[in-house]
């Protein structure tokens, strides 16, 4: 073990504590996203419980950089069998604390001198990453408690983790991101920089290679922001009023009236140039909702967006987002409010 | 009286006397030095996006700055760049949930950043003597916004935004204040444009190499 450590001290290892098949998906995602020219090759192991992962750590020939654990798994490890009905977020806190303590204990107790040497040199941080799956916890409270208990990172859904986790790990584990970022951003299939983001705030589709360098406030919303090509746009790349009305579940005539556009003209030409500026804020609202409510299929996601649009919210005066667009005609305010939340602007 | 105070007094006539009184009081308040480790919760996509784009240190400014698209309690929309940190992980998370109650969208993936602050000349609203000098109470500082997102006026923010704007104009480095979102929590807002004159600094992890730090300004 120590020989291998000394020969390849830059090998990084991640343990994914997840039941299959979720673990397999995360493992594949990390391996796929890990830069091939990275100075630190990545090995991903899986374990069904944190305890098993920790037990394996002592066998690891390489530095362990992170444990990725699902909340339900953590709760079960902590003795909560009915995780679907576990509304007791303090138990999640305790589970995260327990995992962190075990991890810290592992670092102190491991006997391989090379491990300590490399760890000190590289100022390692062992990450505790908690993610959600379907369970009965209030997500907002659970996130707060998990992070307060010592989790370093919260991933809201498995779909988010598949995109965000490899990049986060890349960032946390070395400077090679600097070397590879430019190339990665230019990869045709790269999810960063998000080609759809800037598009939300401009009438026409931008070049997918554009990276906002000194962005305006709203365009700071970079990152993984993906909306299917045909959801809101026509084949020309313009916002399509007819398609947007379908996603909203409202007649085109209502959308036209709210945006002060001619229904007859929109009906004939739903992506006309003259409508683009008015449609853009609505597209922004729909795209942000879409991005956060993504489900297994586009159809399911569209249904979620329609439901979300109809839920009354206190900050909106106990009205729904749909009221904000159609009745108040305040799509821009609504879009900026969602953008601020997404940006993490403080209260 | 500053132009800002005047405008706020016109907007909120019932608060005019209090706003006028704040003007001199904030300017001449006893200031304090704030230093140590603070926390900021950042939506993960910002960090990941910054790392993917090459890790430009300027990105730190983008994701620590706030109030560009919505009003903040102490800094109205678009007033000036202002960095926002909190005294604990819990407060940091609570502060960026802008609206209490059910989140408008599902919870985001977020990371907590360790921010090292060294800031002299800070207006300390946690200090009861300072509050007495200003003629405000803790309740004045933690009122609900009092308006929907569609309203330009936010009565609950009138006093605090006046304090913020006067403090900024007076050249104070920032404001330490009780968190309205997390009971017992403390927040700190630093005005970017006033940092240099007081030698204030704020260090955050580099966007793509957390073993390095980016120091502002």
């Amino acid at each position: 073990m120590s020989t291998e450590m000394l020969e390849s001290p830059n090998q990084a290892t991640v343990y994914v504590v997840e039941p299959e098949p979720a673990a397999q998906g995360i493992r594949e995602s990390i391996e796929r996203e890990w830069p091939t020219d990275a100075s630190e090759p990545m090995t991903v192991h899986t374990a069904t419980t944190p305890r098993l992962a920790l037990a394996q750590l002592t066998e690891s020939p390489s530095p362990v950089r992170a444990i990725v654990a699902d909340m339900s798994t953590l709760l079960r490890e902590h003795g909560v069998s009915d995780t679907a009905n576990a509304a007791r977020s303090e138990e999640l806190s305790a589970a995260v604390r327990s995992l962190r303590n075990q991890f810290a204990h592992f670092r102190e107790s491991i006997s391989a001198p090379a491990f300590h040497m490399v760890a000190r040199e590289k100022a390692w941080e062992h990450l505790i990453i908690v993610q959600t799956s379907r369970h009965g916890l209030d997500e907002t409270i659970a996130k707060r408690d998990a992070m307060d208990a010592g989790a370093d990172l919260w991933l809201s859904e498995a779909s988010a983790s598949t995109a965000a986790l490899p990049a986060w790990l890349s960032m946390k584990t070395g400077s090679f991101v600097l070397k590879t970022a430019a190339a990665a951003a230019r990869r045709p299939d790269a999810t960063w920089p998000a080609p759809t983001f800037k598009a939300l705030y401009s009438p026409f589709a931008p070049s997918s290679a554009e990276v906002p360098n000194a962005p305006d406030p709203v365009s700071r919303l970079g990152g993984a922001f993906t909306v299917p090509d045909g959801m809101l746009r026509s084949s020309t790349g313009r916002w399509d009023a007819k398609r947007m009305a379908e996603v909203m579940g409202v007649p085109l005539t209502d959308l036209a009236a709210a945006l002060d556009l001619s229904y007859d003209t929109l009906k004939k030409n739903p992506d006309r140039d003259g409508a683009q500026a008015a449609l853009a804020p609505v597209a922004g609202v729909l795209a942000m909702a879409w991005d956060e409510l993504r489900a297994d299929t586009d159809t399911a996601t569209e249904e979620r967006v329609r439901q979300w649009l109809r839920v009354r919210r206190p900050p909106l005066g106990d009205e729904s987002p749909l009221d904000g667009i159609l009745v108040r005609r305040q799509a821009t305010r609504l879009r900026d409010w969602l953008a601020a939340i997404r940006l993490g602007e403080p209260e | 009286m500053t132009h800002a105070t005047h405008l706020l007094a016109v907007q909120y006539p019932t608060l005019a006397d209090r706003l006028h009184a704040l003007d001199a009081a904030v300017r001449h308040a006893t200031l304090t030095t704030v230093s140590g480790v603070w926390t900021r919760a950042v939506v993960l996509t910002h960090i990941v996006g910054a790392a993917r784009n090459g890790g430009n240190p300027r990105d730190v400014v983008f994701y620590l700055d706030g109030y560009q698209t919505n009003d903040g309690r102490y800094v109205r929309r678009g007033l000036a760049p202002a960095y926002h940190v909190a005294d604990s992980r819990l407060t940091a998370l609570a502060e960026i949930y802008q609206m209490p109650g059910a989140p408008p969208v599902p919870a985001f993936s977020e990371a907590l950043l360790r921010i090292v602050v060294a800031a002299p000349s800070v207006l300390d609203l946690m200090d009861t003597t300072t509050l007495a000098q200003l003629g405000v109470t803790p309740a004045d500082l933690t009122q609900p916004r009092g308006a929907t997102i569609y309203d330009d006026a936010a009565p609950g923010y009138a006093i605090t935004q006046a304090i913020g704007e006067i403090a900024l104009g007076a050249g104070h480095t920032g404001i330490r204040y009780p968190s309205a979102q997390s009971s017992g929590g403390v927040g700190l807002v630093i005005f970017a444009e006033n940092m240099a004159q007081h030698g204030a600094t704020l260090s955050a992890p580099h966007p793509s190499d957390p073993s390095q730090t980016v120091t502002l300004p």
Side-chain angles (χ1 to χ4, degrees):
Chain A
M1 173 176 165
S2 57
T3 303
E4 193 171 351
M5 275 288 298
L6 290 169
E7 286 177 355
S8 56
N10 289 325
Q11 171 85 19
T13 298
V14 171
Y15 274 89
V16 178
V17 184
E18 282 271 8
E20 298 288 357
Q24 177 67 15
I26 293 175
R27 179 169 55 211
E28 288 175 356
S29 167
I30 293 171
E31 290 172 346
R32 184 174 61 247
E33 288 284 325
W34 202 255
T36 53
D37 59 344
S39 59
E40 274 190 332
M42 169 62 74
T43 303
V44 182
H45 298 284
T46 59
T48 51
T49 71
R51 193 168 296 157
L52 282 176
L54 289 162
Q56 291 180 50
L57 293 183
T58 53
E59 305 298 322
S60 172
S62 57
V64 176
R65 290 308 177 86
I67 287 188
V68 185
D70 182 82
M71 280 176 40
S72 300
T73 310
L74 285 176
L75 285 167
R76 274 195 295 273
E77 179 83 353
H78 207 67
V80 179
S81 55
D82 186 10
T83 57
N85 294 312
R88 296 156 293 185
S89 62
E90 66 272 18
E91 287 171 330
L92 177 65
S93 291
V96 172
R97 282 200 190 91
S98 170
L99 182 58
R100 175 162 287 290
N101 290 338
Q102 290 177 70
F103 214 160
H105 177 71
F106 158 74
R107 281 192 60 182
E108 294 303 316
S109 62
I110 193 167
S111 58
F115 184 95
H116 286 300
M117 182 181 72
V118 176
R120 276 198 301 272
E121 278 178 6
K122 306 195 79 167
W124 283 346
E125 277 183 66
H126 289 140
L127 302 176
I128 301 293
I129 301 171
V130 178
Q131 68 171 44
T132 54
S133 59
R134 294 177 198 282
H135 51 75
L137 289 174
D138 179 312
E139 194 170 51
T140 303
I141 295 171
K143 172 165 72 170
R144 183 196 66 193
D145 288 353
M147 295 188 82
D148 190 46
D152 296 285
L153 178 67
W154 172 277
L155 296 170
S156 61
E157 287 184 12
S159 59
S161 72
T162 55
L165 180 58
W168 171 259
L169 289 170
S170 303
M171 189 188 77
K172 293 292 283 185
T173 54
S175 58
F176 62 82
V177 172
L178 287 173
K179 290 182 284 186
T180 59
R186 286 194 293 271
R187 271 172 32 204
D189 60 340
T191 53
W192 282 276
T196 52
F197 174 66
K198 192 173 177 185
L200 291 176
Y201 299 98
S202 62
F204 301 106
S207 157
S208 62
E210 283 188 60
V211 181
N213 240 348
D216 62 61
V218 181
S219 69
R220 292 189 302 159
L221 270 173
F225 205 89
T226 52
V227 177
D229 284 345
M231 188 186 93
L232 301 173
R233 297 180 185 282
S234 66
S235 57
T236 63
R238 296 187 182 93
W239 301 124
D240 186 318
K242 185 166 178 288
R243 189 71 197 96
M244 287 163 61
E246 287 171 2
V247 171
M248 296 166 71
V250 301
L252 180 59
T253 180
D254 289 1
L255 182 60
L259 300 178
D260 220 8
L261 299 170
S262 160
Y263 167 69
D264 290 336
T265 310
L266 272 188
K267 189 179 176 188
K268 290 177 194 164
N269 190 4
D271 68 343
R272 70 186 183 88
D273 284 353
Q276 293 301 300
L279 291 170
V282 181
V285 171
L286 298 179
M288 278 187 271
W290 171 281
D291 196 50
E292 292 304 323
L293 297 168
R294 268 178 298 185
D296 295 338
T297 67
D298 290 354
T299 309
T301 307
E302 285 192 18
E303 183 53 36
R304 286 189 185 186
V305 170
R306 278 190 283 277
Q307 290 171 1
W308 175 84
L309 282 168
R310 286 161 174 79
V311 176
R312 296 180 177 194
R313 307 278 176 189
L316 309 182
D318 275 332
E319 296 172 359
S320 68
L322 195 62
D323 291 333
I325 296 170
L326 298 183
V327 181
R328 287 185 180 261
R329 303 185 176 194
Q330 292 271 17
T332 302
R333 273 287 170 90
L334 192 60
R335 178 198 65 185
D336 290 352
W337 175 62
L338 290 171
I341 293 170
R342 198 181 169 100
L343 282 165
E345 288 189 359
E347 191 271 343
Chain B
M1 182 176 61
T2 64
H3 183 58
T5 312
H6 173 71
L7 291 178
L8 283 165
V10 170
Q11 192 172 16
Y12 306 103
T14 58
L15 295 173
D17 290 344
R18 297 188 69 192
L19 293 167
H20 292 156
L22 275 176
D23 214 319
V26 170
R27 288 173 183 283
H28 298 112
T30 305
L31 303 178
T32 191
T33 295
V34 174
S35 60
V37 176
W38 292 68
T39 304
R40 175 64 191 267
V42 176
V43 176
L44 181 62
T45 50
H46 302 330
I47 304 176
V48 172
R52 289 281 180 141
N53 289 341
N56 188 328
R58 282 188 315 158
D59 291 328
V60 172
V61 175
F62 295 147
Y63 57 66
L64 292 189
D65 187 12
Y67 319 122
Q68 299 297 313
T69 55
N70 273 280
D71 269 346
R73 185 170 290 273
Y74 289 88
V75 184
R76 64 176 167 78
R77 175 170 41 184
L79 175 68
Y83 308 127
H84 206 96
V85 292
D87 68 330
S88 72
R89 300 162 73 94
L90 200 58
T91 308
L93 284 167
E95 280 288 321
I96 69 166
Y97 296 149
Q98 297 205 344
M99 305 296 172
V105 289
F108 296 108
S109 300
E110 284 159 356
L112 290 166
L113 301 186
R114 184 176 182 271
I115 311 291
V116 180
V117 173
S121 302
V122 170
L123 181 67
D124 189 2
L125 300 182
M126 298 302 295
D127 180 69
T128 52
T129 305
T130 304
L131 291 185
Q133 288 174 343
L134 269 53
V136 298
T137 66
D140 288 327
L141 307 179
T142 55
Q143 289 186 61
R145 185 172 186 268
T148 73
I149 65 159
Y150 305 119
D151 298 313
D152 288 326
Y157 286 0
I159 296 286
T160 49
Q161 287 188 350
I163 292 172
E165 196 145 353
I166 298 164
L168 173 71
H172 301 342
T173 304
I175 302 170
R176 180 159 66 176
Y177 58 88
S179 169
Q181 302 301 318
S182 178
S183 179
V186 179
L188 175 68
V189 59
I190 299 286
F191 300 119
E193 61 190 54
N194 292 347
M195 290 175 74
Q197 63 179 297
H198 297 293
T201 59
L202 186 153
S203 299
H206 190 283
S208 60
D209 184 358
S211 66
Q212 306 294 316
T213 57
V214 174
T215 299
L216 305 174

